[in-house]
Amino acid sequence: MNVLLIGNGGRENAIAWKIFNSDSFRNTDSRLFATQTNPGMKKYSESVDIAPDNIKGLIEFSVREKIELIVVGPEKPLALGIADEFEKKDFKVFGPRKNAAEIESSKIFAKRLMMKYNIPTASFREFSRDSIDQAKEYLKDCKFPLVFKADGLASGKGVMIAENIIEGEDILKDFYEGNFLNEAADNFIIEEFIEGEEVSVFAICDGTDFIVLPYSQDHKKISDGEKGKNTGGMGAVAPVKKFMTEDLNEKIISKIITPVLNALKSEGREYKGCLYCGLMIKDNEPNVIEFNCRFGDPETQAVLPLIKSDFLEMLYSASTKNLKNYVLEVNDLNTCCVVIASGGYPDKFETGKKISGTEELDDNCLLFHSATKSGIDEDKEELVTAGGRVLSVVGISDTSPEEAIKSAYENVNKISFENKYFRKDIGFRIVNKNGV
Ligand code: AMP
Ligand code: GLY
């Protein structure tokens, strides 16, 4: 089967690795192409120099290369309608159409849908740049902390949390003056802060049936102890067993995944692909913090090593309404993914720093590239940093989460570049420690 993977970050490096190692790929005459591959993806896929949002160019390429499955990694092409355009030409796509992807591309749409169908989520109010005065008045009666979310896509950086009214007014000022996220924040919501344990749930959906992958836990704040600004995610662990009871598991399916998929369907927005449910567990009850229309990054790097059954077959079954015949098998392993970032991220940072040590990692540890490129001296396979989140190092253990965390950090310490930054406490919530 010829497969085209859209995207080139850490998540797509993990997806390429997993497709490449699927029996249905290896044992057949198959090719995997990916858009503008980063150096880590080169082992598994052939690079196609077409941007992920050049849908016309990607369709022309897919016709030429007889692509049988398109797998879409990032949200932006989905929000632009890449699945709709490919499906019009009879291609099979893993990823939702534009009207279903709106569950991520508009937080206001997602919130209204949850309210209408009684899906548990934080209470909220909608505002726009034109109603800043009303928002200011509203703050006076609110309990803090309070969460501010831009309506549009913001690469994981559209959420701000105010601890008190002064911080709240500063955030409103930024929204009003357009300092923050431009059009993505023309409309925004202010929502209740929910305390609890965060869990990321990936539901693989085919429009009718769904399967749930092992749960993971992301660490979104930039600093240890969940402090500082939100990022796209600084590390993740999987599976999450510590506070996941059978009862909670059942509630996630019956109160969240099933009703939201039914809701989307009854609104004419049938969902196919990976539905990411970002949940906050409070008093053994799940609440939705956000929905995303794709796999999470870095959760994917932690979750995919746990899948034992054929991954490519899973993606294909979801794209062809055949999930009921797919049997998901998982490995009895623990993983810990630590993201190595450029110092300064998520604000200003420098790129082009020479990376060393990537060849020295232990055999049972995985390395996925998020933002790297080949240096000037390509013959020496020189690698340099090319973005905020640079590499994902995944420790794996068949004994305990503690061992997976230890392995991840031992290997993170083998890699160096100027201003390298990483959190030192990934996984602390599932092992009850304050760092390693
Ligand atoms: P989001 O992009 O909506 O997932 O938000 C980013 C992060 O902000 C989440 O992963 C949470 O850590 C935090 N967050 C968002 N909404 C809430 C909320 N209502 N209560 C508490 N924390 C939140
Ligand atoms: N790690 C969070 C996300 O992918 O949105």
Side-chain angles (χ1 to χ4, degrees):
M1 185 190 309
N2 286 356
V3 183
L4 173 63
L5 170 62
I6 313 284
N8 63 358
R11 163 185 53 211
E12 288 77 21
N13 193 166
I15 293 172
W17 162 77
K18 199 69 185 166
I19 291 176
F20 182 82
N21 285 300
S22 298
D23 284 345
S24 62
F25 185 83
R26 295 189 80 86
N27 301 338
T28 57
D29 187 16
S30 299
R31 289 172 82 182
L32 174 61
F33 299 91
T35 55
Q36 302 172 324
T37 52
N38 70 40
M41 297 168 79
K42 292 218 155 79
K43 276 183 266 182
Y44 314 114
S45 56
E46 301 171 50
S47 189
V48 181
D49 193 14
I50 304 174
D53 52 3
N54 178 357
I55 299 175
K56 193 165 164 277
L58 291 167
I59 291 179
E60 281 166 11
F61 172 83
S62 302
V63 170
R64 213 168 45 242
E65 294 296 339
K66 301 190 172 40
I67 300 294
E68 285 155 89
L69 176 67
I70 324 291
V71 180
V72 190
E75 62 279 14
K76 196 166 152 223
L78 291 165
L80 288 173
I82 194 169
D84 311 54
E85 297 306 316
F86 267 101
E87 284 176 359
K88 276 186 206 154
K89 305 272 182 206
D90 287 333
F91 283 100
K92 306 277 183 285
V93 183
F94 183 85
R97 291 192 184 157
K98 184 176 180 168
N99 68 0
E102 213 177 331
I103 195 132
E104 172 168 9
S105 62
S106 169
K107 298 240 186 223
I108 292 179
F109 166 75
K111 279 296 208 182
R112 287 183 184 168
L113 190 81
M114 287 187 269
M115 284 294 147
K116 185 169 168 192
Y117 291 91
N118 284 321
I119 296 167
T121 187
S123 60
F124 74 106
R125 278 275 297 269
E126 293 174 26
F127 294 97
S128 71
R129 241 192 261 287
D130 301 329
S131 59
I132 289 286
D133 287 340
Q134 281 139 275
K136 265 193 202 155
E137 271 308 301
Y138 177 67
L139 291 193
K140 290 184 184 154
D141 297 324
C142 284
K143 237 177 82 201
F144 285 81
L146 207 54
V147 187
F148 295 69
K149 295 185 174 179
D151 180 46
L153 291 181
S155 308
K157 289 163 220 144
V159 174
M160 320 254 295
I161 296 172
E163 294 297 333
N164 51 50
I165 192 156
I166 296 165
E167 285 181 14
E169 284 175 350
D170 281 349
I171 294 171
L172 286 182
K173 191 159 169 271
D174 275 347
F175 275 127
Y176 181 65
E177 289 173 357
N179 292 336
F180 177 57
L181 299 166
N182 301 321
E183 316 90 74
D186 279 351
N187 297 298
F188 61 93
I189 57 175
I190 301 182
E191 84 176 22
E192 166 205 7
F193 181 89
I194 305 183
E195 229 162 311
E197 283 287 351
E198 257 186 278
V199 183
S200 304
V201 179
F202 295 166
I204 306 299
C205 315
D206 71 359
T208 304
D209 293 299
F210 67 87
I211 53 175
V212 180
L213 301 188
Y215 299 156
S216 57
Q217 188 168 52
D218 188 10
H219 297 63
K220 291 213 174 74
K221 303 286 185 296
I222 187 66
S223 304
D224 289 0
E226 299 302 338
K227 304 241 164 57
K229 287 196 174 168
N230 266 318
T231 69
M234 295 303 293
V237 282
V240 179
K241 290 195 174 146
K242 192 172 145 198
F243 49 84
M244 297 304 304
T245 57
E246 251 324 294
D247 173 48
L248 187 53
N249 201 25
E250 198 277 321
K251 284 179 187 162
I252 290 173
I253 289 171
S254 64
K255 294 189 170 182
I256 291 170
I257 303 176
T258 304
V260 76
L261 292 175
N262 288 341
L264 284 164
K265 198 166 199 169
S266 61
E267 304 267 326
R269 298 169 190 253
E270 182 182 274
Y271 199 95
K272 174 179 52 63
C274 175
L275 178 71
Y276 168 128
C277 313
L279 307 179
M280 192 69 88
I281 311 297
K282 189 184 175 196
D283 302 331
N284 209 40
E285 289 294 329
N287 294 277
V288 177
I289 293 290
E290 66 166 342
F291 286 118
N292 291 325
C293 63
R294 44 150 181 103
F295 286 108
D297 186 340
E299 293 97 321
T300 301
Q301 294 90 306
V303 171
L304 297 199
L306 304 181
I307 299 178
K308 188 170 171 190
S309 42
D310 193 295
F311 181 67
L312 177 58
E313 192 191 326
M314 181 185 89
L315 302 180
Y316 192 74
S317 301
S319 315
T320 51
K321 279 197 187 294
N322 202 18
L323 264 185
K324 62 178 180 307
N325 293 319
Y326 181 79
V327 181
L328 176 73
E329 288 173 76
V330 295
N331 294 312
D332 191 14
L333 296 173
N334 300 278
T335 59
C336 171
C337 169
V338 176
V339 171
I340 311 184
S342 301
Y345 172 80
D347 296 320
K348 267 206 186 127
F349 55 82
E350 291 177 3
T351 58
K353 307 291 180 197
K354 197 174 156 194
I355 303 170
S356 60
T358 55
E359 303 300 315
E360 286 153 38
L361 306 195
D362 297 341
D363 288 345
N364 68 345
C365 168
L366 293 165
L367 177 69
F368 298 121
H369 293 223
S370 299
T372 65
K373 37 181 217 199
S374 304
I376 303 165
D377 197 348
E378 285 220 28
D379 292 344
K380 282 206 216 147
E381 296 196 4
E382 195 180 79
L383 203 60
V384 297
T385 64
R389 292 189 294 172
V390 177
L391 293 164
S392 300
V393 176
V394 186
I396 301 180
S397 165
D398 57 7
T399 51
S400 67
E402 285 83 351
E403 286 299 316
I405 294 169
K406 188 161 164 267
S407 161
Y409 280 104
E410 278 168 9
N411 286 286
V412 162
N413 287 330
K414 294 180 185 175
I415 295 177
S416 38
F417 57 85
E418 195 184 321
N419 284 335
K420 163 187 166 190
Y421 175 80
F422 59 94
R423 270 183 62 166
K424 315 246 173 344
D425 63 348
I426 302 301
F428 78 98
R429 285 178 173 278
I430 62 167
V431 297
N432 251 347
K433 276 200 301 192
N434 293 319
V436 285

